[in-house]
Amino acid sequence: MNATNSRTRREERRAEIVRAALEVIAERGYRGASLAAVAERVGLTQQGLLHYFPTKDALLVAVLEERDQWDAVPDSRWRVDLLASLVEYNAMRPGIIQTFSALLGESVTEGHPARGYFTERYVRVRANMAGVLRTEYGDRLPNGLTPERAAPLLVAVMDGLQYQWLLDPESVDMPGAFRDFLALLGEEA
Amino acid sequence: MNATNSRTRREERRAEIVRAALEVIAERGYRGASLAAVAERVGLTQQGLLHYFPTKDALLVAVLEERDQWDAVPDSRWRVDLLASLVEYNAMRPGIIQTFSALLGESVTEGHPARGYFTERYVRVRANMAGVLRTEYGDRLPNGLTPERAAPLLVAVMDGLQYQWLLDPESVDMPGAFRDFLALLGEEA
DNA sequence: TACGAAACCTACCGCTCTACAGGTAATCGA
DNA sequence: TCGATTACCTGTAGAGCGGTAGGTTTCGTA
C-alpha cells in the first residue's frame, strides 16, 4: 500500500470515530459523552481513540466541521420551497437533529467549547436565509417585513420545532408546521 | 421560635439552594452542575446540601417545580398582546432563560431526568397558546390557520429566538422579532 | 433545664473521567 | 530485509463526582 492509501485509511478511521461521536453525543450530550463510550463503538480503547484525536475537544471540533460541510452545500442556491424539503429530510434523520439540538443547548453555558461555533453559525445562517428570502420576494416580503427581520424568525421556527418534535414526535408534525410558517411568510399583509 | 417558624426557615433555605442551583445550571448545565458548586454558593458543604435535597435529581425536581409555579400564573388569562410583554420581560432575565434553555437542550438526550417534564410542559403550553389564540381570533386566525396549528409555531418562535439571543444578544432583538411574528399571525391571508 | 430533632460537619467509598507514559506488534517505504 | 512510522495496547496518575456513615453543635419545646 502506498502513502495515499495510508492517509486515506487514517481519514476513514477518523470519519468512523466522528460518526460514533455523533451518536454518543445524541444520547448523552457532549459533557455526558465519554471518550470510552465513543471508542467502544468503533472497537477501540479510549487510549486508542486519543491516537486519532488528541483531546476530547479536538473530537468535538471534528464533529462540528462535519456539520459545516453538511449544510454548507447550497448557500445561495437555496430557494424557499427547498427549505420545506430540508425540514422534511431532517424529520427522517432524528439522530443528527438530536445531536445538534443537544449541543446547541449546552453551548449557551459558560465556556462551552461549541459556543463560538454556534454563535458564528447563526450569523451565517441568518444571512443565508435573508438572502434566500430576498431572492424570492425582493426587499420586502408580501407582509412588509424586510428579509433581515424575517430571517431570525425563520431560523427560530426551524430550531424551536425541532425541540418539540424530538421530545414528542407523535404530537408534532414538524414538516407540516414548517410549511404553515412558510405560507404565513408568503401572505399579503 | 415556634414550629411554624422552623418550617419556614427550612423552606427559605431550600429556596435559597434552588436559586443557587438555577445559577449553576445556567453556567454549566445540569450534568455539569456539581452539588459542591451549588453548596458553595450558599455557604454549605456538599453533604450539608444533601441534608435538604437527598439526591441531585431531587434538587432538579425542585428547580422544575419552581419554574412551574412561575409560568402557571396566568393560563387562560393570557392575551396575545401580553405575550409580547412576557418576551420583553424575559429579555431582562437572561439567567433564567439560560437555565431553561440549557436544560431543554439536555433533555432531548436519552434518559435525562428532565425529559418527561419538558415533554409534558410542551403539551400544556401548546394547549394554552391555542387557547389564547382562540380567545383572540376564534376558530380561525385571519390567515386561515386553526389555533391548534398556529400554537406550535408560536412556541417554536419563542424558544428558537431565545437561543439566538442568548448566544448573541447584540445581534438579535428578541422582543422586536417576536412582535414581528405576532403581527404576522394577525394578518389577513 | 433536660431532651429530641434539626442543621450541619468530617471522613470516606467507589466510581468515572481525561489525559499522559511507555510498550508492542503490524505495516510500509527504501 | 531493515528501519521507521503507524496503530494500537496496558498501566496509571490525578481529579471530580454523587452518595453514605456517623459524629457534633445548635435550637425549639416541654
Side-chain angles (χ1 to χ4, degrees), chain B residues 96-135:
Chain B
I96 301 284
I97 301 303
Q98 189 165 321
T99 301
F100 287 93
S101 295
L103 280 176
L104 173 59
E106 276 183 74
S107 76
V108 305
T109 61
E110 284 164 28
H112 193 280
R115 178 157 191 152
Y117 170 81
F118 278 108
T119 304
E120 287 161 27
R121 181 173 185 274
Y122 268 132
V123 171
R124 205 176 62 229
V125 170
R126 280 193 299 261
N128 275 174
M129 290 301 139
V132 170
L133 291 171
R134 174 162 278 111
T135 304

Side-chain angles (χ1 to χ4, degrees), chain A residues 145-174:
Chain A
L145 277 184
T146 63
E148 280 69 27
R149 282 177 68 177
L153 295 177
L154 186 55
V155 177
V157 167
M158 294 182 79
D159 291 345
L161 283 177
Q162 283 174 4
Y163 284 105
Q164 293 182 55
W165 172 73
L166 283 171
L167 288 170
D168 195 355
E170 310 271 309
S171 303
V172 180
D173 173 15
M174 180 168 69

Side-chain angles (χ1 to χ4, degrees), chain B residues 1-3 34 46 56:
Chain B
M1 303 289 174
N2 55 27
S34 74
Q46 180 240 120
K56 194 183 176 182

